[in-house]
Amino acid sequence: MDCPLCGKEMKEGVISGGFKWVEDGRDAWEGIPLSTGLLGRAPKSFYCPDCRQIVLPVPENAGFMGAVQQKIDTASEKIGTVQRRWEAQRSQTKEQKKKKEFGSKDPWEL
Ligand SMILES: [Zn+2]
């Protein structure tokens, strides 16, 4: 990534530790955590030694709650697939049963 101030190539790295970016006048819990996933993996950030600036792109689903929400979404998606498969199987069995019953009936009985 090029520095947005001087245009030079920036050094790539991570900010280690569980830091948070907090907007002026807001409480710390409202801040954006600068780590992703349950293990708090730090995202890549870029440093320009000439301007002494660090650019840190905020990852999607940043922080603990983001990771939990992602896990929940994946799990509910899996459950949905299983449920659909089960329903399809059940209606298929019903259909077969119906056919069988119809076939075994004496036509004069109707
Ligand atoms: Zn620069």
Side-chain angles (χ1 to χ4, degrees), residues 3 5-6 48 50-51:
C3 175
L5 299 174
C6 69
C48 176
D50 291 343
C51 306

Side-chain angles (χ1 to χ4, degrees), residues 9-66:
E9 182 77 20
M10 298 178 94
K11 289 178 189 280
E12 210 176 300
V14 294
I15 297 172
S16 61
F19 291 97
K20 248 184 189 181
W21 182 84
V22 184
E23 197 178 332
D24 279 349
R26 288 195 179 263
D27 289 327
W29 62 269
E30 289 179 288
I32 297 167
L34 304 179
S35 59
T36 51
L38 296 170
L39 295 171
R41 195 159 32 88
K44 279 263 182 278
S45 51
F46 304 88
Y47 168 61
C48 176
D50 291 343
C51 306
R52 302 184 65 76
Q53 297 282 326
I54 291 170
V55 173
L56 191 132
V58 176
E60 249 181 89
N61 293 313
F64 180 78
M65 283 319 287

